[in-house]
């Protein structure tokens, strides 16, 4: 009887290793294409933000000029300066004289000359309007006030107002209101000959309290200039 041979060492046959083939790896996914319209949209948004920021900075940096307080350039200045209060005291207002004109980026100036009463014996009047569009007229106004010796302040007319009394010879009222200077004056007429002698002059009047109608006329003019 043939028996199975014994295995030396007590071990059996080793089982052969079974090699299994690894599953194939999945190929890498191709990169996802960027949508070109997203790039365009992002660029437009960025450009808009930059442009808007630049415009805002420009608007902030751009000089705006001083506040003119409602005053503006005017034509027909003599028609706006009605001077009705002075007319009631000094006599009927005669036709106006020519008005000097200054127009520029920094200054607007108008003036008007009138005669109250008879052209031969009445008082002369003058009113001027200066609009400072760039610089502050305050320091200059103070210097002129001292030069003309306008020693009486008038309350309630603009920012500052000063009155100068010349007795029977006339009077002057100057007003500063922000960027605007307005001057109103009246004076006695003197007509002289070739040798300087007086050949005709206004009959003097008692002008006591003349600052009241002058103030009334200036306040009415200021309101008219702001319309």
């Amino acid at each position: 009887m043939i028996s199975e041979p014994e295995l030396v060492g007590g071990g059996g046959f080793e089982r052969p290793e079974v090699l299994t083939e690894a599953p194939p790896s999945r190929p890498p996914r191709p990169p996802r294409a960027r949508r070109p319209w997203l790039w365009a949209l992002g660029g437009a948004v960025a450009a808009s933000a930059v442009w808007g920021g630049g415009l805002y900075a420009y608007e902030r940096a751009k000089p705006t000029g001083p506040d003119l307080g409602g005053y503006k350039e005017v034509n027909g200045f003599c028609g706006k300066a009605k001077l009705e209060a002075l007319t009631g005291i000094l006599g009927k207002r005669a036709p106006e004289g020519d008005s000097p004109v200054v127009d520029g980026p920094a200054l607007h100036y108008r003036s008007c000359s009138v005669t109250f009463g008879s052209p031969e014996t009445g008082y002369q009047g003058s009113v001027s309007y200066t609009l400072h569009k760039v610089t502050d007229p305050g320091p200059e106004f103070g210097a002129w006030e001292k030069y003309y010796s306008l020693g009486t302040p008038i309350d309630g007319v603009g920012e500052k107002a000063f009155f100068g009394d010349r007795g029977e010879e006339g009077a002057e009222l100057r007003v500063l209101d922000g960027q605007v200077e307005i001057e109103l004056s009246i004076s006695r007429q003197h007509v002289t000959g070739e040798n300087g002698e007086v050949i005709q002059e206004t009959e003097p009047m008692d002008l006591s309290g003349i600052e009241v109608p002058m103030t009334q006329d200036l306040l009415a003019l200021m309101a008219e200039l702001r319309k």
Side-chain angles (χ1 to χ4, degrees), residues 40-208:
L41 178 61
V45 171
S48 177
V50 172
W51 180 83
L55 178 62
Y56 176 72
Y58 171 76
E59 290 294 335
R60 291 191 62 186
K62 185 171 63 174
T64 58
D67 180 8
L68 300 183
Y71 289 101
K72 52 186 74 72
E73 298 181 359
V74 297
N75 293 314
F77 176 66
C78 283
K80 294 183 178 294
K82 297 180 174 61
L83 307 180
E84 293 176 349
L86 283 176
T87 299
I89 293 176
L90 300 178
K92 184 178 178 180
R93 175 176 165 175
E96 297 83 10
D98 293 335
S99 173
V101 174
V102 176
D103 276 320
L107 192 71
H108 175 81
Y109 174 83
R110 294 288 188 272
S111 70
C112 180
S113 60
V114 301
T115 300
F116 298 99
S118 166
E120 293 79 21
T121 60
Y123 273 74
Q124 289 181 326
S126 175
V127 57
S128 66
Y129 168 61
T130 306
L131 175 63
H132 299 264
K133 294 183 282 186
V134 176
T135 59
D136 177 13
E140 177 185 335
F141 181 84
W144 281 114
E145 178 268 323
K146 292 180 180 180
Y147 176 80
Y148 286 114
S149 299
L150 304 177
T152 305
I154 303 293
D155 295 330
V157 186
E159 181 181 333
K160 295 179 182 178
F162 294 95
F163 174 76
D165 187 357
R166 310 284 185 254
E168 295 177 345
E169 295 300 317
E172 182 177 0
L173 178 61
R174 294 175 63 92
V175 174
L176 173 69
D177 194 20
Q179 295 294 121
V180 165
E181 291 179 276
I182 304 176
E183 177 185 351
L184 174 61
S185 65
I186 58 172
S187 60
R188 185 180 169 198
Q189 295 188 73
H190 296 275
V191 180
T192 59
E194 294 181 357
N195 298 323
E197 73 280 10
V198 177
I199 58 177
Q200 183 178 300
E201 61 183 357
T202 298
E203 187 69 24
M205 294 178 59
D206 181 7
L207 298 179
S208 300

